[in-house]
Amino acid sequence: MISQQDVQAYRQQLQALRSALLTQIAEQRGGSRSRADVAADHFMHAEDSHAQVTSQRDLEFAINEHETAELADLELALLRLDAGTYGVCIDCAAPIPEARLKARPEAQRCMACQEKIEHTHL
Ligand SMILES: [Zn+2]
């Protein structure tokens, strides 16, 4: 069971990671540009130098996707802290070792279940 003190520490760590990630995403998107603007650009320029634009955009979207997934993990971990289910594997309900949470506070699975998932994807 995670102590109330640890919950605070994990929350701070997760929030710090989340704000760093949000800053990084904002910078990559050129600050004030919204996702809609980027999409509009994509369609407006789709006709000229199509191949080049596509690969650039693909790269951008691939990066965004990775970061969006990471952001979702952080958000989920914060929700789980609030719900009191943080630090418990979502698959087998075993407690996630503290060392793992310290290294990856957004971890939702124990090592064994995480490995299973990764092998399934590969
Ligand atoms: Zn597990």
Side-chain angles (χ1 to χ4, degrees), residues 85-107:
T85 55
Y86 184 76
V88 172
C89 175
I90 58 169
D91 283 351
C92 71
I96 301 172
E98 209 177 308
R100 175 160 166 75
L101 288 175
K102 289 252 151 67
R104 286 201 53 191
E106 75 278 25

Side-chain angles (χ1 to χ4, degrees), residues 14-15 17-22 25 29 35 63-81 86 90 104-109:
L14 287 162
Q15 280 169 344
L17 284 169
R18 184 176 59 171
S19 64
L21 191 60
L22 284 171
I25 291 171
R29 289 178 186 169
R35 193 176 269 268
I63 293 166
N64 281 344
E65 213 168 283
H66 172 75
E67 274 156 3
T68 308
E70 213 172 300
L71 190 63
D73 281 350
L74 292 170
E75 300 275 5
L76 205 63
L78 283 163
L79 285 175
R80 280 155 50 78
L81 270 176
Y86 184 76
I90 58 169
R104 286 201 53 191
E106 75 278 25
Q108 294 169 59
R109 292 181 178 85

